[in-house]
Amino acid sequence: MTASHTERITAVQDDITTQRVDAIVNAANTSLMGGGGVDGAIHRAAGPGLLAECRTLGGCPTGEARITKGYDLPATWVIHTAGPIWHGGTHGENELLARCYRSCFALAARHAVRTIAFPAISTGIYGFPLERATRIAVTETTRFLADDTEIEEVRFVCFGMETYRVYQAIVTGSA
Ligand code: AR6
């Protein structure tokens, strides 16, 4: 029997590049050519094969996602998504961020992914307010899992204490 969708959502404070899951998500940019933050960390840990494959993809519009192999990472797959840059909240940022999560889940489903780890997309360099972004991440995940029986774990990997605190509160429903 499949665990209820809330039991399948976890939050940890860790580095996403070390996660032993079927797929990790990369908070990339529309070029898919690497960058700073979690994108830089993933490319460094995966090795040059990742960038070589990314070069063949022709970029990724904001809100969409693309999948590559994981190369030297413990994860089999990397799902790259381009989150929205925060421009004050009146430029469709909420919907674009929600679309990132939906696009990632759609690709995960097509590749028989059972365990998937997400970073806090758009909340670093792109400046999306953390609590607002976390609510969107958890809402979209809960919606997806309500109709899905294949995914066993959606792990939110938080890079700092503050991010972890916010995710933990929202995932457990105490905020
Ligand atoms: N593991 C998990 N989370 C991490 C890691 C890590 N190793 N490193 C950073 N984070 P950001 P964005 C967290 O800036 O806001 C890049 O240049 C970080 O603390 O990586 O979507 C891309 O190429 C924050 O909580 O991504 C784009 O140009 C979260 O990951 C741009 O940054 C997201 O922060 C994307 O900006």
Side-chain angles (χ1 to χ4, degrees):
M1 202 185 99
T2 309
S4 79
H5 52 271
T6 44
E7 287 166 6
R8 291 183 281 159
I9 303 176
T10 57
V12 297
Q13 188 183 349
D14 210 342
D15 178 342
I16 204 166
T17 65
T18 66
Q19 304 302 302
R20 295 190 177 278
V21 285
D22 295 334
I24 64 169
V25 172
N26 181 16
N29 57 60
T30 56
S31 79
L32 297 183
M33 300 304 283
V38 72
D39 192 6
I42 289 172
H43 276 272
R44 276 192 300 280
L50 181 62
L51 184 60
E53 186 174 355
C54 284
R55 280 188 204 287
T56 69
L57 298 177
C60 175
T62 302
E64 295 189 14
R66 301 288 184 268
I67 193 164
T68 65
K69 290 182 285 185
Y71 298 91
D72 296 342
L73 291 163
T76 307
W77 304 104
V78 180
I79 298 176
H80 307 260
T81 189
I85 300 171
W86 181 256
H87 289 296
T90 55
H91 294 75
E93 292 95 331
N94 288 353
E95 174 52 26
L96 285 167
L97 186 61
R99 210 177 289 164
C100 287
Y101 286 91
R102 292 198 288 267
S103 301
C104 290
F105 284 126
L107 273 179
R110 268 191 262 144
H111 289 79
V113 165
R114 295 192 173 270
T115 52
I116 182 167
F118 282 91
I121 300 165
S122 283
T123 67
I125 294 165
Y126 280 180
F128 206 108
L130 178 59
E131 194 176 319
R132 183 190 282 236
T134 306
R135 289 191 193 283
I136 291 168
V138 173
T139 299
E140 290 305 323
T141 300
T142 305
R143 264 188 204 145
F144 177 78
L145 291 179
D147 292 329
D148 168 88
T149 55
E150 301 300 313
I151 294 216
E152 291 162 7
E153 184 187 0
V154 176
R155 189 182 303 166
F156 292 115
V157 180
C158 307
F159 203 48
M161 193 55 193
E162 171 63 6
T163 303
Y164 176 68
R165 202 189 52 73
V166 170
Y167 266 87
Q168 189 61 21
I170 292 173
V171 165
T172 60
S174 61

